[in-house]
Amino acid sequence: MQLSSTEKALYVKLVYYGPGLSGKTTNLETLHRLTDPDAKQPMVSLKTSGDRTLFFDLLPFDLGKLYGMDVRLKLYTVPGQIHYDTTRKQVLAGADGVVFVADSAPDRRDANKNMIRYLKNNLQSNGLDPETIPLVFQWNKRDLPDAMPVEQMNAELNWRGVPALEAIATRGDGVIETFKEITVLTLEEIASRSGSVLAGPVGSIRAKVEQAFARFAPAAAAAPAKAGRTRAAPPAGTGYVHEAPLETAAPNADSSSELDELLKQAVEANLKMSEKLVAGPDRDVLLARARRERKALARLVQIAGVSREPIALYKLALSSALAGLDLSVGSALLNAGPGQPLKEIAVSGRDADPLNSVLSPGIGSVASGLLERGQPLLTHDIEGELMFGQSHEAVAGLRAVLSCPVGRSKAGLLLAYAGPRDRDLEPDDLEFLGLVAGIVALAVES
């Protein structure tokens, strides 16, 4: 729970948890379609080539006013694949309520049980009590001809006896009802422990939420049925943010711990960006940026998790950095020794790296000096700050530069330049480049 006294707004975090392909993302997609047909709020989702969630999905949802407070819900999903437990743990941090989406297919019985154990462990790791956190179960895919009996699923999974609802998420059945139930339970829990936030009787919250959700009833009733249980593509123009599928490589045993660390860094960056996306006024700009950075980081993390080839990783780091920053000029350089210009592994947008072309007595080049500093740098005054006020044709037309060393040993340097038509670079851009450099260093040096 986050409270903004200036906005008189209450931000509530709800997480949809469950095994892979149980329907977590489909729940959010269907909610978006039914409750926001004009796509006033963006849904951010990144899929792998197998239609699997890699980081998380995010759907902001404005509930409206409740006891004088604007209640704004943030709906997240977690990846269901077993080897992404680190990601699930991070996304669950600070959760106010949880929906467990269980798969009704008989062959997913063990997957459901295993994910319950992960849920309990992840909650405890984040200082959240599995026995008290608001929780709702959803038995999804009830249209399967061999769907497990509800009584069996309830006995095997619902250890607390909390509300459980049947659903066919692809068709819309039970989706709004599940969302409404977890919203009620979560707001009631917040009101019971912090009456000053929702200053009204706890018993009346359900009626207030029912009233807020009443406006969605016609859309839910008119939801078109979808045959089968494959995930339907969102209709054109609905504001979904889906990227082209990404090819994934399964992590091997030797790289699993390193991959966990890579994913941890990437997820932290994406969570931070997503928080800005929910609360920030410039949503369109932030949405475009989040989309670029997610895709770039996803590709880098996937390949870095299974590859240790430095040259290939430096090249990939440059392309990922420029794609995430929406820039065209940059380079990946390697340390060539004291007093020597850096070795250019990859250069984009120019024949040679601009700052590596400007020699500095006793240092080798301006780029060498940046590497020797060992600190990330953003400057909008290239000539004044880096070249002692001297001009040079190599940097003509460049307005700003991002510089970030790779690794503690200063093995290499990533540079990204903004030209006259590029946007203004910001400290967040330097943080992103630092994340890219960190991922490469972790992969190369581990």
Side-chain angles (χ1 to χ4, degrees):
M1 179 191 73
Q2 294 176 317
L3 182 64
S4 172
S5 56
T6 57
E7 298 177 285
K8 294 199 70 175
L10 175 67
Y11 291 92
V12 178
K13 182 176 182 178
L14 304 176
V15 178
Y16 280 64
Y17 201 99
L21 297 177
S22 62
K24 303 178 293 296
T25 296
T26 305
N27 265 271
L28 266 61
E29 290 175 344
T30 302
L31 274 173
H32 196 209
R33 173 169 55 86
L34 296 179
T35 64
D36 189 15
D38 297 326
K40 296 178 181 178
Q41 294 274 21
M43 174 177 170
V44 180
S45 180
L46 179 63
K47 303 294 194 343
T48 65
S49 58
D51 205 25
R52 313 291 290 273
T53 300
L54 177 65
F55 290 150
F56 53 84
D57 306 304
L58 167 64
L59 176 63
F61 186 93
D62 289 338
L63 184 64
K65 284 193 178 296
L66 187 65
Y67 303 123
M69 296 291 296
D70 282 324
V71 179
R72 300 172 184 175
L73 308 174
K74 300 176 291 184
L75 282 66
Y76 287 87
T77 69
V78 297
Q81 300 95 303
I82 293 297
H83 53 269
Y84 288 147
D85 190 48
T86 299
T87 304
R88 287 191 292 273
K89 187 185 304 181
Q90 287 176 271
V91 176
L92 265 178
D96 299 298
V98 176
V99 173
F100 188 95
V101 181
D103 196 320
S104 295
D107 62 356
R108 301 299 287 165
R109 180 184 179 190
D110 288 342
N112 290 329
K113 291 181 178 180
N114 288 335
M115 204 53 64
I116 286 290
R117 289 193 287 269
Y118 278 110
L119 173 62
K120 293 178 180 179
N121 290 337
N122 290 163
L123 287 171
Q124 290 171 342
S125 297
N126 283 303
L128 301 171
D129 188 352
E131 302 301 324
T132 59
I133 191 170
L135 174 66
V136 169
F137 281 89
Q138 182 189 86
W139 315 132
N140 194 25
K141 303 183 184 178
R142 298 310 301 171
D143 54 335
L144 291 174
D146 58 345
M148 287 184 286
V150 167
E151 295 77 14
Q152 175 188 348
M153 298 183 73
N154 206 53
E156 293 180 348
L157 303 175
N158 191 357
W159 81 98
R160 282 174 47 187
V162 298
L165 297 90
E166 299 182 56
I168 306 173
T170 54
R171 199 167 69 189
D173 297 2
V175 171
I176 288 183
E177 291 81 0
T178 301
F179 177 36
K180 182 167 57 179
E181 186 64 26
I182 190 59
T183 299
V184 170
L185 295 183
T186 302
L187 293 179
E188 285 181 343
E189 196 277 335
I190 291 174
S192 67
R193 62 182 165 86
S194 183
S196 60
V197 175
L198 293 176
V202 174
S204 66
I205 286 180
R206 181 173 293 274
K208 293 281 188 181
V209 172
E210 291 278 0
Q211 183 179 3
F213 273 81
R215 66 185 189 272
F216 304 127
K226 291 181 171 58
R229 57 187 178 108
T230 57
R231 182 175 295 153
T238 55
Y240 291 86
V241 180
H242 289 288
E243 299 299 338
L246 297 163
E247 294 301 323
T248 58
N252 55 48
D254 293 335
S255 67
S256 59
S257 60
E258 290 88 351
L259 180 60
D260 281 346
E261 184 60 30
L262 299 179
L263 283 171
K264 181 179 179 181
Q265 293 186 38
V267 172
E268 285 176 352
N270 278 275
L271 283 169
K272 182 178 179 180
M273 174 60 70
S274 296
E275 290 299 317
K276 292 181 180 179
L277 177 63
V278 172
D282 300 324
R283 285 180 175 171
D284 290 343
V285 174
L286 291 172
L287 181 60
R289 177 173 173 176
R291 179 172 52 194
R292 292 194 309 268
E293 292 190 0
R294 280 168 174 254
K295 185 175 180 179
L297 288 175
R299 182 166 174 255
L300 180 59
V301 166
Q302 289 167 346
I303 297 178
V306 295
S307 173
R308 294 294 182 271
E309 213 295 303
I311 301 302
L313 287 175
Y314 271 91
K315 291 180 178 179
L316 176 61
L318 175 62
S319 62
S320 299
L322 294 180
L325 295 166
D326 195 26
L327 300 174
S328 59
V329 179
S331 61
L333 311 176
L334 283 183
N335 196 336
Q340 299 295 318
L342 302 181
K343 182 179 179 181
E344 297 180 353
I345 297 300
V347 178
S348 174
R350 294 289 180 93
D351 294 331
D353 177 76
L355 291 180
N356 203 40
S357 302
V358 182
L359 298 182
S360 182
I363 298 178
S365 70
V366 174
S368 300
L370 289 174
L371 179 59
E372 188 60 30
R373 288 187 185 188
Q375 297 293 329
L377 173 74
L378 163 61
T379 179
H380 294 86
D381 184 10
I382 296 176
E383 294 180 344
E385 186 171 348
L386 303 181
M387 299 167 56
F388 307 102
Q390 301 297 313
S391 61
H392 195 288
E393 61 181 2
V395 297
L398 298 177
R399 295 192 299 113
V401 62
L402 297 164
S403 167
C404 192
V406 178
R408 296 179 181 177
S409 61
K410 304 175 186 175
L413 187 70
L414 292 178
L415 293 162
Y417 300 88
R421 297 183 179 180
D422 294 319
R423 61 182 177 83
D424 290 334
L425 299 182
E426 303 171 354
D428 283 348
D429 297 314
L430 186 59
E431 184 176 348
F432 172 74
L433 186 63
L435 175 61
V436 171
I439 290 173
V440 173
L442 185 63
V444 172
E445 297 176 355
S446 60

